[in-house]
Amino acid sequence: MPQSVPQVAAHEDSTPAPDGRSPWPSSESWTLTHSWADNGHCDYLQLPSLACQSSGTHVNAYYAQDFANGCDKSIYPIWDSMTVMNDHTQSGQADRLVMETTVGGTQYQTEYLHMNSVTVGLGATVNSDTVVGTSGNVGISSGCHLHVVVRRYHSSDARFYSVPATLCGRTYPPSSVGTGFGGCTLTPTPTPTPGPNPAIGGDYNGDGITDIAVWRPSTGQWFINWGQPAQLGQAGDVPVPADYNGDGITDIAVWRPSTGQWFSTIWSQPIQLGQLGDVPVPGYWNDDAVIDIGVWRPSTGQWFTAVWSQPVQYGQLGDIPVPGDYDGDRITEVAVWRPSTAQWFVNWAQPVQFGQAGDIPVPADYNGDESTDIAVWRPDTGQWFSTVWSQPIAYGVAGDMPVPGYRSTPAQSDVAVWRPSTGEWFINRASQSIQYGAQGDVALSGQLDWIAACRHRTLPSCTAAGTATPTATPTATATASPRPVSVGGIAEQPDLTVPPTETSTEPANHHTAYVLGGALLGALAIIASAAWAAKRRQR
């Protein structure tokens, strides 16, 4: 490591880079010998020269790391579609390889040093399975190793700032020095399980209570627990119910990924917005108190809505969109949750660390203050965690889908789950489970006050036309321990990524693939409902 290069702008960007493969072969274990801020590093390169702005001949970075396992070992790019940015045939460049690519709409750069050989030339495009050279002991070095730096581009000052590298799903802080780490290859980014969408699902009859409802992909039917089935959509569509005309009643709607079209029972013609791979995120994207259609594009991190003239860049590949009204201004904020780091990013605030990999984000208004609260549900333990609760709430079991719902008394979101295997709904403050939906359905409404809803019907069975009678003894009623400080809610209208379900007289012979889709739509529904309810209370 160099001794002469002064440290510049150290750790100004401490957010880890997106996950990548190991620069070394997947079958080998390499030892971390140095990590972060060793001997002083300059923190960025200056465009367009790619030269370190500080003095010295050896370019380095604050979050630089050294991995060792001998000389002449094969070295790989950590991401696909990387472009070689330096000419290793030039003086002083023989042991150095700088590559650049775009991940989730953001430019990133990697730099390898001390290489015995570089086998790719300036301008070449390489993938993560391409050998780009070999490890070595060239330059200012005291042994065979690979020096690795990852940098993120900041358009505000046209600089690449070094950031912690994420390789094989982990970062490598100084506390890990001396530890050996196995390699890995680059695997496709898994589709994260989205949480309920506050803008999806909701109040289909205008009584102020979120209704239990499911959409059946196999038939395109909508089942609402107080009415007759409705027909809209086809297999492959994504249900996106929301109040699109501002009349206070949730409208039935679907988004078709294959064509990017939106269909609703209140529109005479479909509306074109989005493309295959996008995530629908209806929301209150302006101040007209009407939900507008929108999509988030994971590949670029861009948000598009029907009321914006330009897309908004926010998030990256692997994030989960969690739009909501986090500041109570009656307008939906763009927001994402990053499973790899468990960070919440809202476009007007500092990142918040909450949750862990494997959690499902379930933002909603849990304390009745008319703003969206950060929350996650942990499938493996059935626990709910929120920034507004002092203790987690145990509710649900593995395999359930979180469907928090809106309550009118008090006006807060209740924790709730829908069980795809049985079609049962379990609501935290309800005395019994409700049977509605079948395996393969998509649970649409996550905002439900079961008690208040039953006040409009016959007690204690809560039976209504077209509605299944809830069972007297829930099979696995999760008891909140402790109960939420505040349960309420209107799930705001964010991303529509988790599907729901319903119980009718039809046989439950649907494919389990729909269950996964339903979970995603359900999450989106939670967000939408919360947003709608919060606005409704403010009108």
Side-chain angles (χ1 to χ4, degrees):
M1 301 289 290
Q3 301 288 336
S4 61
V5 181
Q7 180 171 302
V8 177
H11 56 75
E12 288 190 5
D13 186 348
S14 60
T15 301
D19 195 18
R21 68 154 293 163
S22 59
W24 59 89
S26 60
S27 59
E28 297 179 0
S29 178
W30 286 44
T31 300
L32 179 68
T33 58
H34 295 90
S35 181
W36 302 1
D38 260 352
N39 303 316
H41 310 141
C42 77
D43 196 51
Y44 56 81
L45 294 179
Q46 180 70 48
L47 289 180
S49 65
L50 299 182
C52 182
Q53 183 162 316
S54 63
S55 60
T57 59
H58 192 99
V59 177
N60 219 307
Y62 183 85
Y63 287 107
Q65 297 173 313
D66 288 349
F67 295 93
N69 188 13
C71 282
D72 298 316
K73 296 299 184 79
S74 296
I75 301 301
Y76 299 84
I78 65 174
W79 295 306
D80 286 330
S81 301
M82 301 200 74
T83 301
V84 177
M85 303 300 291
N86 72 309
D87 185 353
H88 67 89
T89 64
Q90 297 297 310
S91 175
Q93 300 288 306
D95 69 323
R96 178 174 179 246
L97 177 61
V98 178
M99 294 176 287
E100 187 174 309
T101 191
T102 298
V103 181
T106 300
Q107 281 182 280
Y108 286 90
Q109 197 175 83
T110 61
E111 181 184 32
Y112 297 161
L113 295 175
H114 312 305
M115 300 176 69
N116 269 354
S117 67
V118 176
T119 56
V120 290
L122 176 65
T125 298
V126 294
N127 291 320
S128 62
D129 59 355
T130 305
V131 175
V132 293
T134 58
S135 59
N137 189 29
V138 180
I140 306 176
S141 175
S142 58
C144 288
H145 71 283
L146 180 67
H147 178 91
V148 179
V149 185
V150 177
R151 295 182 175 91
R152 178 184 292 120
Y153 182 64
H154 286 232
S155 59
S156 59
D157 56 3
R159 293 170 177 172
F160 278 91
Y161 287 80
S162 74
V163 296
T166 305
L167 308 172
C168 304
R170 54 183 174 253
T171 55
Y172 302 80
S175 59
S176 298
V177 169
T179 303
F181 295 95
C184 68
T185 56
L186 186 67
T187 57
T189 301
T191 301
T193 304
N197 184 349
I200 310 287
D203 181 8
Y204 294 87
N205 60 1
D207 65 356
I209 301 299
T210 302
D211 301 305
I212 286 181
V214 299
W215 180 65
R216 188 154 294 164
S218 59
T219 62
Q221 287 179 295
W222 295 67
F223 297 88
I224 302 171
N225 67 336
W226 50 262
Q228 295 299 310
Q231 189 78 39
L232 183 71
Q234 62 186 36
D237 289 350
V238 177
V240 287
D243 181 13
Y244 292 103
N245 59 4
D247 64 357
I249 296 176
T250 299
D251 305 306
I252 289 173
V254 298
W255 180 67
R256 189 157 295 161
S258 60
T259 63
Q261 291 177 297
W262 296 67
F263 300 83
S264 175
T265 51
I266 64 168
W267 301 327
S268 59
Q269 298 292 327
I271 299 174
Q272 187 77 40
L273 183 70
Q275 63 184 36
L276 188 64
D278 290 350
V279 176
V281 287
Y284 291 100
W285 297 118
N286 57 18
D287 59 1
D288 65 358
V290 173
I291 290 178
D292 302 301
I293 63 175
V295 297
W296 181 68
R297 189 156 296 161
S299 60
T300 63
Q302 290 177 296
W303 298 68
F304 300 83
T305 79
V307 294
W308 296 344
S309 59
Q310 297 292 328
V312 171
Q313 182 79 39
Y314 207 75
Q316 65 184 36
L317 188 64
D319 290 350
I320 296 174
V322 286
D325 185 6
Y326 291 89
D327 59 2
D329 66 355
R330 306 184 188 183
I331 296 177
T332 302
E333 282 87 44
V334 299
V336 297
W337 182 64
R338 188 157 296 161
S340 61
T341 61
Q343 287 178 296
W344 293 69
F345 298 86
V346 181
N347 66 338
W348 49 262
Q350 293 299 309
V352 174
Q353 188 81 34
F354 201 78
Q356 65 183 37
D359 289 350
I360 296 176
V362 286
D365 180 12
Y366 293 101
N367 61 1
D369 65 355
E370 300 184 357
S371 63
T372 301
D373 303 311
I374 288 174
V376 297
W377 182 65
R378 192 155 294 161
D380 57 347
T381 64
Q383 289 178 298
W384 296 66
F385 299 83
S386 176
T387 52
V388 298
W389 302 329
S390 59
Q391 297 292 327
I393 297 172
Y395 209 80
V397 298
D400 289 349
M401 184 175 71
V403 286
Y406 176 64
R407 300 184 64 107
S408 61
T409 52
Q412 302 166 338
S413 285
D414 281 316
V415 300
V417 295
W418 180 70
R419 191 153 296 159
S421 60
T422 63
E424 288 177 288
W425 297 68
F426 298 91
I427 297 93
N428 188 30
R429 288 192 279 184
S431 60
Q432 326 177 68
S433 66
I434 297 175
Q435 182 76 36
Y436 205 77
Q439 193 168 42
D441 290 348
V442 173
L444 295 173
S445 59
Q447 324 308 317
L448 167 69
D449 181 342
W450 184 82
I451 299 173
C454 283
R455 290 173 183 161
H456 297 278
R457 305 187 178 102
T458 304
L459 293 174
S461 65
C462 206
T463 304
T467 305
T469 303
T471 56
T473 306
T475 327
T477 303
T479 304
S481 165
R483 290 184 180 277
V485 175
S486 52
V487 183
I490 298 140
E492 200 144 329
Q493 294 192 312
D495 74 334
L496 195 45
T497 327
V498 185
T501 49
E502 166 199 49
T503 302
S504 74
T505 56
E506 299 185 20
N509 57 349
H510 306 291
H511 300 295
T512 54
Y514 287 124
V515 176
L516 299 177
L520 176 63
L521 295 172
L524 294 175
I526 293 176
I527 297 175
S529 297
W532 179 86
K535 289 187 176 295
R536 194 162 182 262
R537 292 198 302 273
Q538 294 171 333
R539 292 174 187 160

